[in-house]
Amino acid sequence: RKEVEQDPGPFNVPEGATVAFNCTYSNSASQSFFWYRQDCRKEPKLLMSVYSSGNEDGRFTAQLNRASQYISLLIRDSKLSDSATYLCAVKKSSGDKLTFGTGTRLAVRP
Amino acid sequence: NAGVTQTPKFRVLKTGQSMTLLCAQDMNHEYMYWYRQDPGMGLRLIHYSVGEGTTAKGEVPDGYNVSRLKKQNFLLGLESAAPSQTSVYFCASSYKTGVNLYEQYFGPGTRLTVT
């Protein structure tokens, strides 16, 4: 089983839709979680960290479910500009490295 | 602030040639990383460094060497390039402590083709 797994998609949604992605992780000792956004042929950029209590940034909400070992990203009122690949990243309790998922592609259509 | 910069942006090598990719950051980050990204494989860590003068192996280190002689620079070397090293290479850096611990900032990438 991969350490971090994501549905590759693509998720094709109309503008204004609400869409959610999940990311599962295998190591129960993981302690830090992040969502990154990557546009085509560009570098990944941090979208938001994921806190235990869940956190929201505008139209984006991130949540952590430790019992089921997954994190989620909810995007409300999708915009054309949200079209990108969303990568989740997980840090184990020890060590200094992040492990990235392969990403979920989102395509928002007019 | 330029953030994280990478040189070169594109390169084509013949099998067996060598090259060095340069990563520079101006954020005074302690940690630096080299990743490769291939379709369907995601970002895979090649080598990383937790401080000046230190390096460590990541998930896919074979065929690569690194050096961190200065805090702001992290070099990735390919001694004898192989077609399997055709990829997009990303450098990243992050803080060691603080609120933003482990939030990684990426460079724009280097597209390498080995023929």
Side-chain angles (χ1 to χ4, degrees):
Chain A
R1 183 185 173 185
K2 288 184 180 178
E3 284 189 62
V4 180
E5 291 196 80
Q6 295 183 253
D7 181 343
F11 285 60
N12 290 299
V13 302
E15 273 187 292
T18 295
V19 62
F21 313 131
N22 283 345
C23 166
T24 59
Y25 59 94
S26 61
N27 190 328
S28 59
S30 298
Q31 63 174 199
S32 300
F33 308 89
F34 305 90
W35 282 105
Y36 282 78
R37 171 195 168 122
Q38 186 173 25
D39 293 305
C40 189
R41 301 180 73 84
K42 297 286 189 181
E43 72 272 24
K45 291 186 178 177
L46 182 68
L47 180 65
M48 57 199 303
S49 303
V50 186
Y51 302 125
S52 297
S53 55
N55 47 302
E56 189 173 306
D57 183 2
R59 299 181 292 109
F60 298 84
T61 300
Q63 292 197 311
L64 167 63
N65 185 316
R66 284 196 183 274
S68 299
Q69 294 184 203
Y70 73 87
I71 62 173
S72 64
L73 178 67
L74 180 79
I75 305 175
R76 290 181 297 278
D77 189 23
S78 298
K79 311 290 184 191
L80 293 175
S81 56
D82 293 333
S83 297
T85 296
Y86 291 84
L87 308 172
C88 65
V90 175
K91 179 192 164 313
K92 295 178 188 175
S93 58
S94 63
D96 310 297
K97 307 181 293 294
L98 292 181
T99 300
F100 286 83
T102 54
T104 297
R105 195 153 65 87
L106 171 65
V108 182
R109 63 181 186 271
Chain B
N1 280 356
V4 181
T5 57
Q6 291 183 232
T7 309
K9 289 188 168 53
F10 303 92
R11 186 72 186 267
V12 178
L13 286 179
K14 288 184 169 28
T15 297
Q17 287 184 319
S18 63
M19 78 164 294
T20 299
L21 283 67
L22 171 63
C23 175
Q25 53 93 6
D26 61 3
M27 296 175 282
N28 203 33
H29 285 168
E30 291 86 359
Y31 291 2
M32 296 187 75
Y33 311 83
W34 275 108
Y35 294 91
R36 60 178 289 174
Q37 188 174 38
D38 304 289
M41 303 293 290
L43 283 162
R44 292 184 292 168
L45 184 65
I46 304 171
H47 286 281
Y48 66 103
S49 168
V50 299
E52 182 179 319
T54 73
T55 62
K57 293 180 180 179
E59 181 186 352
V60 288
D62 294 342
Y64 305 96
N65 56 75
V66 288
S67 66
R68 183 125 181 245
L69 299 179
K70 293 184 179 180
K71 186 177 183 179
Q72 63 268 33
N73 296 337
F74 196 27
L75 278 63
L76 178 70
L78 285 73
E79 289 186 348
S80 179
S84 60
Q85 294 178 304
T86 294
S87 188
V88 180
Y89 291 85
F90 287 105
C91 176
S93 66
S94 68
Y95 290 107
K96 180 180 180 180
T97 59
V99 174
N100 297 322
L101 179 63
Y102 298 117
E103 293 180 7
Q104 295 187 9
Y105 298 80
F106 285 80
T110 295
R111 295 184 178 277
L112 175 66
T113 301
V114 183
T115 62

